Amino acid sequence: MKILLINPPAIQTIEESDEPDNPSISIAYLAGYLRSKNIDVDVIDGKLERLNFEQTIERFKKKKYDIVGLTSYTHDVKNAHKLASLIKAIDKKVLTVIGGVHATAIPYETLEKLPNFDLAVVGEGEYMLYDIIKAVEENKSFKGIEGVYYREDGQIIPNPVRVREQNLDALPLPAWDMFPAAKKYQIIGARGCPNFCSFCMSPYGRKIMRFRSPENVIQELEWLINTYHPIQIRFNDETFSHDMERAHKLLDLIIEKGFHKKTAFVASTRANKVDYPLLLKIKKANFEFLEIGVETGDPEIIIKTHKGITIDQTERAVKLAKKAGLNVGCGFIIGHPGETKETAQKTMDFMAKLNPKVAAIGLMVPYPGTEVAELAKRGEANYHLLSTDWEDYNKQIGNALEMKNFTRKEMEMMQALGYLKLYYKNARFMDLAKFIWKYKAAGIIFVKKQLGFKIKYGGDSTNQLGPIGQISTA
């Protein structure tokens, strides 16, 4: 059996994830696990390698593969399906498996609408993909493989949900050596999130966070740093300091090992999960950026999002992080349940008051599997659903959602003016000039949309369209 795992190339750079400087962590984990089971596996990271479809297909044609696994977000799942279609056209016997956050959220609908995917994997795919491979090797049905949806006699068959691995230390380290050396890497020290934010699908599961031991994380960091000498490592944990005692221990080990002298780190956290001593240690460990999900500046909207923080906690956390000498990034969203022009304006005012080093203003996307998606589908919470085309489901050039009394154009205008207000009100004119230059492509898209041009995902590759995606909204 020969297996190929692909992070499909982007048609157009919209989100930061479309043209990353880091290898795909999901593909790396899958490859590491399969290799530990003596499975013959290759990887192609089309986004990291800046490949196009033709180059990706040429790589595929170099060997005869039995199974091809693909990953995608919602906005580019049709892009992944296009690649699967091209693969099927070359060898119709190849089994195509789609995984990732989109397939996890709506596996049945994904297979129903995208017929060149044979199976969908729900959740973390290490064990499921291995079970699929064994079933093919032994010529057995996919029936009973927990977490897998499959086709049989023209029908889509769901299997029961799979219980997630609790002992993350039992998993092999990601197979970073199977990718080209990169400038940046991602590492995940915990999977899951106990919070229930209305806009988040939480692909690693809710209620329970599962942690790798600090020693296990340090083992991976040591390999990454000494082998690849990256300029930055991002902790992909949804809340880096959810367990503050564990965070202290991990930071102590990073400093003890001297990793803080060899590379810089980035992490995301919540306003209610930091204090000044921890922030000082984060700074000492050379975290060049700490991202805090703020979301809104309106107290009533916070309640509607189920964020579980307060305006005062956010203001205090940002203030203490700056006092500790950290660069702070804050994420905001326009379009929460019940959002109005007035509540959105409060968010823009609050952003200017916080004055983070970097701000990211996202326009709400009704991602599958979220409460927002269900509210929008029913036309509740002041939502008006504009599109169910997954290509419209991105934060920059998307057109999926608006509010009933707050049009998409008005939301986009407030987004643009919010950035201007942040820099102008805080007299950060040089930063404003740099921002405009860096995201000039976003400005062109913005003007076209305001003039009524239809902008969709696809076409020729462009520059990064905006800062959204740089800030995780934990």
Side-chain angles (χ1 to χ4, degrees):
M1 293 287 293
K2 291 188 180 296
I3 315 302
L4 177 62
L5 304 176
I6 305 178
N7 186 21
I11 294 177
Q12 183 181 20
T13 301
I14 296 172
E15 310 285 1
E16 185 184 26
S17 58
D18 291 328
E19 198 168 284
D21 292 321
N22 57 273
S24 166
I25 191 169
S26 58
I27 294 292
Y29 260 108
L30 292 173
Y33 184 78
L34 294 183
R35 187 169 60 180
S36 75
K37 296 294 186 180
N38 298 314
I39 301 295
D40 188 351
V41 58
D42 292 328
V43 303
I44 299 176
D45 195 332
K47 293 183 174 68
L48 173 68
E49 298 183 55
R50 312 299 193 252
L51 302 178
N52 57 33
F53 274 75
E54 183 179 351
Q55 291 166 328
T56 305
I57 288 297
E58 286 303 312
R59 291 265 291 273
F60 164 76
K61 287 161 66 175
K62 288 182 179 180
K63 292 184 182 179
K64 184 171 179 59
Y65 292 101
D66 301 285
I67 299 174
V68 173
L70 305 103
T71 186
S72 80
Y73 296 102
T74 294
H75 76 273
D76 65 351
V77 69
K78 291 168 80 172
N79 187 32
H81 183 253
K82 176 184 176 182
L83 185 59
S85 302
L86 293 172
I87 288 169
K88 289 279 194 182
I90 295 167
D91 186 351
K92 64 181 180 181
K93 293 182 180 179
V94 171
L95 193 73
T96 54
V97 183
I98 182 66
V101 61
H102 180 84
T104 293
I106 46 172
Y108 189 96
E109 189 175 355
T110 300
L111 292 184
E112 184 180 43
K113 290 188 175 182
L114 304 174
N116 284 305
F117 293 141
D118 296 313
L119 301 96
V121 168
V122 179
E124 299 154 31
E126 291 96 342
Y127 298 146
M128 285 178 272
L129 188 53
Y130 178 69
D131 287 347
I132 290 168
I133 293 167
K134 298 308 291 181
V136 173
E137 283 184 334
E138 298 169 10
N139 198 28
K140 291 182 178 179
S141 167
F142 300 119
K143 184 177 181 180
I145 301 180
E146 294 177 341
V148 172
Y149 282 57
Y150 65 101
R151 301 179 190 277
E152 186 174 277
D153 298 328
Q155 300 295 314
I156 298 170
I157 311 298
N159 278 316
V161 174
R162 181 179 292 255
V163 176
R164 297 174 186 266
E165 173 61 67
Q166 300 301 302
N167 179 17
L168 298 184
D169 285 6
L171 295 173
L173 297 182
W176 298 122
D177 56 301
M178 297 182 70
F179 297 79
K183 296 179 181 178
K184 299 179 181 180
Y185 287 86
Q186 296 181 341
I187 188 170
I188 188 161
R191 298 184 184 184
C193 181
N195 304 298
F196 290 84
C197 298
S198 61
F199 49 83
C200 181
M201 182 263 173
S202 195
Y204 288 116
R206 298 190 187 274
K207 295 185 180 179
I208 298 174
M209 286 189 73
R210 295 156 291 136
F211 296 96
R212 294 169 65 186
S213 67
E215 293 78 11
N216 186 256
V217 173
I218 289 297
Q219 180 186 353
E220 183 178 354
L221 284 176
E222 190 159 34
W223 175 36
L224 279 174
I225 292 169
N226 292 337
T227 304
Y228 301 108
H229 313 289
I231 62 172
Q232 184 191 93
I233 296 175
R234 168 184 285 275
F235 279 87
N236 245 21
D237 307 29
E238 295 191 61
T239 305
F240 172 75
S241 55
H242 177 79
D243 182 333
M244 293 173 65
E245 182 178 347
R246 177 182 174 278
H248 271 288
K249 184 175 182 180
L250 180 56
L251 293 166
D252 286 337
L253 288 171
I254 287 172
I255 295 166
E256 180 184 316
K257 290 282 188 177
F259 296 159
H260 63 307
K261 298 177 181 178
K262 298 179 180 180
T263 192
F265 299 94
V266 174
S268 300
T269 193
R270 289 169 54 91
N272 62 340
K273 290 294 181 179
V274 291
D275 58 21
Y276 191 55
L278 180 62
L279 291 165
L280 283 173
K281 193 170 290 185
I282 289 172
K283 172 63 177 177
K284 185 177 180 181
N286 197 26
F287 279 63
E288 63 180 359
F289 228 85
L290 184 66
E291 300 170 352
I292 298 174
V294 179
E295 323 311 347
T296 178
D298 185 276
E300 294 301 317
I301 296 294
I302 288 180
I303 294 171
K304 292 177 181 178
T305 65
H306 321 308
K307 179 74 178 180
I309 60 172
T310 66
I311 296 291
D312 289 343
Q313 285 176 322
T314 297
E315 199 166 353
R316 176 179 175 273
V318 172
K319 186 176 181 178
L320 289 177
K322 289 182 180 181
K323 182 180 177 182
L326 288 161
N327 289 321
V328 182
C330 292
F332 305 85
I333 300 174
I334 296 174
H336 290 289
E339 189 88 273
T340 64
K341 295 176 187 177
E342 292 72 27
T343 60
Q345 188 57 59
K346 284 184 181 180
T347 298
M348 299 300 96
D349 294 340
F350 189 48
M351 178 179 67
K353 180 181 180 181
L354 291 175
N355 190 22
K357 178 73 173 177
V358 172
I361 310 170
L363 298 183
M364 182 64 77
V365 178
Y367 287 121
T370 65
E371 181 184 346
V372 165
E374 294 304 310
L375 291 170
K377 191 185 300 182
R378 298 193 298 266
E380 298 176 1
N382 203 31
Y383 282 131
H384 175 218
L385 190 62
L386 295 171
S387 173
T388 56
D389 186 338
W390 295 327
E391 289 184 344
D392 284 324
Y393 280 48
N394 61 70
K395 305 182 192 77
Q396 283 296 316
I397 67 171
N399 196 43
L401 192 66
E402 65 179 8
M403 314 307 291
K404 291 177 182 176
N405 58 357
F406 190 13
T407 69
R408 185 75 187 190
K409 280 189 176 182
E410 289 172 334
M411 292 167 71
E412 290 165 353
M413 181 62 74
M414 185 169 287
Q415 180 189 37
L417 293 177
Y419 284 121
L420 292 175
K421 183 171 186 175
L422 167 68
Y423 294 113
Y424 180 79
K425 188 171 182 179
N426 292 290
R428 294 169 56 186
F429 304 115
M430 185 60 71
D431 286 343
L432 175 58
K434 291 177 181 177
F435 178 88
I436 292 172
W437 175 254
K438 184 174 183 180
Y439 300 114
K440 54 187 179 293
I444 295 170
I445 295 292
F446 170 76
V447 171
K448 286 183 176 180
K449 291 195 74 177
Q450 292 298 308
L451 292 174
F453 287 88
K454 176 73 171 173
I455 307 295
K456 285 186 71 67
Y457 183 70
D460 296 331
S461 181
T462 67
N463 292 326
Q464 171 91 14
L465 294 182
I468 308 307
Q470 293 180 352
I471 306 297
S472 171
T473 51

